[in-house]
Amino acid sequence: MSGSRRIGPRMCLLAAMLMILAGCGADERVAETGAQKALAKVRGKAAREGLPTYGDEAAERFRRERVPAGEKEIPAGLYDAARERMRGMLRYSTVTGELASYEPEAREKAALAWTELGPGNIGGRTRALLIDPKRPRTMYAAGVTGGVWKSTDGGANWRWISDDFANLSVASLAMDPADPRVLYAGTGEGIRSTAPRGMGIYRTVDGGETWQHLAATSTADFHYVNDLVISRADPRRLYAATRTGIWRSLDRGATWKRVLDPKTTSGCEDLAIRTDKPVDVVLAACGRREQASVWRNARANAPKGRWLKVLTEPAMQRTSLAIAPSNQDVVYALSSSGSAYPRSPDDSYSDNLHAVFRSTNGGATWEARVRNTDPVELNTLLLSYVLIANGSECGLQPAEYDSAFGQGWYANTIAVDPKNPDRVWAGGIDLFRSDDGGRNWGIASYWWAYWANAAPSYAHADQHVIAFHPRYNGTTNRVLYAGNDGGLFRTRDALAATAKGAKAGCEPERSSLKWESLARDYGSIQFYHGVAYADGTRYLGGTQDNGTPLGGDATGRNGWKMVLDGDGDWVAADPDDPQILYGQIFGGGSLHKSTDGGLTFVSKASAEGWSDFKGPFLIDPQKGARLWYAGSRVWRSEDRAESFTAASFKFNELPNVGLARALAVSPVDSNRVLVGTGSGVIFRSSAALTTTGETAWAQTLPRERAEVSWLAFDPKDANVAYATYSNFGGPHVWKTTDGGATWNSIDGSGAGALPDLPVHTIAVDPTATGRLYIGTDLGVFVTQNGGATWAVETGLSPVITETLQVLKRSNGETLLFAFTHGRGVWKVKLGS
């Protein structure tokens, strides 16, 4: 890689960004042009460098933080066991201060809820969308870790309807064709190799007001329900695509039978069913990042209906399917590639387009309409970052950085115009449309137009679902919806001209399609980390694919804005100067600073070996100008990140220690610092203000082969601190009373013992230091006696909770904030 250098050890930013920023020194600003800002967001040139892509790294992060020691994947049944354990625990309401037993029949009362802060106007990853054909203003959407949402005004406003769910990882939805009030929700995002696990299928008969868990799906076979379809001939018949194959129910989900085992490790991802036959003609796509195939059953409802493999090719991987509503003999398949088809010696189409296939006999036989070897480059980029692939055409030099980098294993969807079987839509990173049966394509959306003053062309990146308005007719109604990593988007004219030509990827104005976000009160965003400002009225956080949003009480939950792009992570807000903010783009090695309240940011990623994907940093509670950062070692800044001094030896060079995952500084003694690592080791110093790069910090190992996910000091006693571990298979909450020299588990005992469940964060109530709150994969738990017994907090849903922060305001009010991975930000008042 001549002429550039890496920002982080895993090349968390695109090589093209490095090319533009020419080294990204401590005082260089984030690129200002739309194309440059777009490149600053893109996740890694991994296809060419042989390194993980962002999607890979995010999935690996999820796996690494949870997998038990000695295991490669999370064993089946661990979440089910944790939920069963929770049923026997007491419930505690911080709002009312009441402790009560669990009532299986009672729904969580809205009156007991914490206050929701948003963002409602920045949506999270959405994989499913349903529209009531009789009442099209009624819509349902699935947030991947945020449950099911409903709109009754055509997407103008949304409300959460997943009160009855014990698992919020919803990846699929299906609506009864005979009664649109009957819906099914499949949980578990099986598209990712390691992702939020589900617990089967839920059913509602009243439009989502109440839900019932289908008991027959409480098995490992339904931990990842990727797709659901219902027979129009007989709505009692359901089909589910899961990681273990295709399952069929003949009795509305009461019982199930596996009818296809594709013999793949990833199972099946997509289903399509004809609606014009008295029998169930079903197509299934199976195989994700492995050899994929399309299967067909012409009588799937019959006891001996045969599944035939009708389409497979070498290098064909994840495939999505769509049947043309106006001529259901016409079927399309969009496949990603698992092999290198070079356009140049150092380029590859792996995870990009393999081919678009079409069948004109209902899926019995297929022809390729376009392949990745097509002479028209744009036709080959349906699953790619088009701006990067068109780098030279867009004036981004040198041209050697042109790449077809994509992630077709992750963002891959296809749909057919309800009135024209030759007009087909494809979704990868962006949206494309073909008007000639999949032979030629034009760009219909630009994720990077957000930064290029071309907002009408902007729809968020990473498409997962495309849906047409039920009354779409191609003339007076041309409405189309897209669900992606930014929530839901709508165009009112799906037939407007798309962008074509050699420069289509770099000129958003070539497209006439206009998009609008439907995120209002759609609080499904996925936070990784967050903080509240010192005044307790403004909030900042790093999120999955929605950068670093900033919000506050003054603008309300629908007034948030993204102040730093990319995929966010750790953040900090200066308590002495609210104009000074810190954040990350994608990786721990990418620290950025703003001195104007988030209007602009300056890169501060110049210190060597800081971290990888998750690098903790924080502001010293006693001095706003002092910043601590931990990666391969501890770094200390006394001038608000303008310069850094090494404050510890390289502890990652010790055998089996690894990088930092957690960091804490005592609020009463800045010399007392703790660092937790990915191996479970906790380092400590009682003189951290004077340590150097040669100082060997003392260490201890409370729990082996597990990640330290969080560290927190007691607000009044520097000798008392807490550590949490996220991995299954051992105690999760630990306490020290001697500054970190020794640790004891405080997971509780008897009926008040915590379940074996990933714990990500811990907070100490300063109004009663024996009251501790922890954030887990299934919501928040609380103890009032220092960990002797624990209870389930009733104020929040069972959502992944990544950060808990206690803040004492100048008026004496003490608040607890929760930044969740799927339900946004919440707060509750502590003490009296």
Side-chain angles (χ1 to χ4, degrees), residues 29 32 37 451 550 561-564 579 581 594-601:
R29 290 189 173 272
E32 295 296 331
K37 284 189 175 182
W451 303 108
L550 169 64
K561 62 179 180 179
M562 187 169 65
V563 295
L564 191 60
Q579 293 297 302
L581 307 173
S594 173
T595 58
D596 53 15
L599 295 178
T600 61
F601 279 82

Side-chain angles (χ1 to χ4, degrees), residues 64-65 67-69 661 677-681 701 703-709 724-731:
R64 185 190 66 216
E65 292 176 344
V67 66
R661 304 297 183 198
T677 68
S679 62
V681 174
L701 183 60
R703 179 180 164 190
E704 295 185 71
R705 301 176 67 187
E707 289 208 1
V708 182
S709 53
T724 63
Y725 286 81
S726 55
N727 300 78
F728 281 104

Side-chain angles (χ1 to χ4, degrees), residues 343-609:
R343 196 172 63 230
S344 62
D346 61 348
D347 202 4
S348 168
Y349 267 73
S350 181
D351 288 329
N352 293 268
L353 179 70
H354 172 72
V356 175
F357 299 96
R358 175 175 172 165
S359 172
T360 56
N361 55 11
T365 59
W366 299 78
E367 65 162 334
R369 297 292 288 168
V370 67
R371 294 185 181 275
N372 57 26
T373 53
D374 193 272
V376 178
E377 183 183 46
L378 188 63
N379 290 337
T380 72
L381 303 178
L382 305 186
L383 301 176
S384 306
Y385 282 99
V386 183
L387 178 63
I388 305 169
N390 281 174
S392 56
E393 290 88 347
C394 298
L396 304 175
Q397 297 295 333
E400 68 180 10
Y401 283 100
D402 285 8
S403 170
F405 171 66
Q407 46 189 36
W409 62 271
Y410 171 66
N412 185 322
T413 186
I414 192 166
V416 187
D417 187 302
K419 299 298 179 181
N420 185 344
D422 288 328
R423 183 169 291 122
V424 57
W425 286 73
I429 309 302
D430 286 311
L431 291 157
F432 287 74
R433 193 187 74 218
S434 170
D435 299 322
D436 59 2
R439 181 65 189 88
N440 293 283
W441 296 81
I443 305 176
S445 73
Y446 291 79
W447 63 267
W448 62 274
Y450 184 92
W451 303 108
N453 298 318
S457 300
Y458 166 73
H460 200 284
D462 301 340
Q463 312 305 319
H464 304 300
V465 59
I466 302 170
F468 292 87
H469 193 285
R471 295 177 183 170
Y472 178 98
N473 56 23
T475 54
T476 59
N477 186 318
R478 299 180 177 184
V479 176
L480 177 144
Y481 303 90
N484 49 47
D485 277 8
L488 293 165
F489 285 75
R490 175 177 63 197
T491 180
R492 297 180 184 272
D493 187 3
L495 302 188
T498 58
K500 298 180 180 179
K503 292 189 176 182
C506 44
E507 297 179 356
E509 62 275 11
R510 286 174 174 252
S511 172
S512 297
L513 278 102
K514 298 179 180 180
W515 297 90
E516 56 187 319
S517 170
L518 296 184
R520 182 174 177 81
D521 292 331
Y522 187 56
S524 57
I525 197 168
Q526 298 174 312
F527 279 94
Y528 288 127
H529 185 260
V531 296
Y533 282 40
D535 63 5
T537 66
R538 287 168 289 180
Y539 329 103
L540 183 73
T543 69
Q544 186 275 335
D545 213 21
N546 284 283
T548 301
L550 169 64
D553 295 350
T555 54
R557 63 184 184 183
N558 290 303
W560 288 60
K561 62 179 180 179
M562 187 169 65
V563 295
L564 191 60
D565 56 343
D567 292 84
D569 214 304
W570 282 68
V571 295
D574 193 313
D576 301 325
D577 186 347
Q579 293 297 302
I580 298 178
L581 307 173
Y582 304 90
Q584 290 174 325
I585 294 179
F586 171 71
S590 178
L591 177 67
H592 289 75
K593 175 185 175 182
S594 173
T595 58
D596 53 15
L599 295 178
T600 61
F601 279 82
V602 176
S603 171
K604 297 297 176 182
S606 59
E608 104 1 89

Side-chain angles (χ1 to χ4, degrees), residues 227-247:
D227 201 9
L228 290 165
V229 295
I230 303 176
S231 169
R232 184 175 292 273
D234 185 350
R236 293 174 298 178
R237 296 198 293 265
L238 283 76
Y239 300 86
T242 82
R243 276 200 181 169
T244 58
I246 302 300
W247 295 77

Side-chain angles (χ1 to χ4, degrees), residues 116-203:
E116 184 178 3
L117 302 175
N121 61 318
I122 304 176
R125 191 159 80 247
T126 300
R127 284 205 174 274
L129 174 67
L130 296 177
I131 307 171
D132 187 328
K134 297 179 180 179
R135 296 175 291 275
R137 291 175 63 80
T138 298
M139 306 170 66
Y140 303 88
V144 167
T145 52
V148 182
W149 300 75
K150 182 177 182 178
S151 173
T152 56
D153 54 12
N157 297 274
W158 295 85
R159 66 183 177 93
W160 187 64
I161 58 168
S162 305
D163 305 64
D164 296 318
F165 282 51
N167 184 289
L168 300 184
S169 177
V170 181
S172 54
L173 294 171
M175 180 180 287
D176 189 323
D179 185 352
R181 297 172 301 174
V182 178
L183 296 92
Y184 298 84
T187 62
E189 189 189 19
I191 299 302
R192 289 175 173 234
S193 57
T194 305
R197 177 168 291 165
M199 59 172 296
I201 301 172
Y202 288 82
R203 180 174 184 260

Side-chain angles (χ1 to χ4, degrees), residues 628-685:
W628 298 87
Y629 200 118
S632 60
R633 62 174 12 142
V634 179
W635 297 86
R636 183 180 63 242
S637 172
E638 298 289 347
D639 54 9
R640 292 184 165 88
E642 294 306 310
S643 62
F644 281 86
T645 300
S648 79
F649 74 126
K650 286 187 176 182
F651 44 72
N652 74 316
E653 292 182 352
L654 296 176
N656 303 315
V657 170
L659 296 165
R661 304 297 183 198
L663 175 66
V665 180
S666 170
V668 296
D669 183 356
S670 297
N671 273 304
R672 307 292 284 272
V673 177
L674 296 171
V675 177
T677 68
S679 62
V681 174
I682 297 176
F683 291 90
R684 69 186 185 277
S685 175

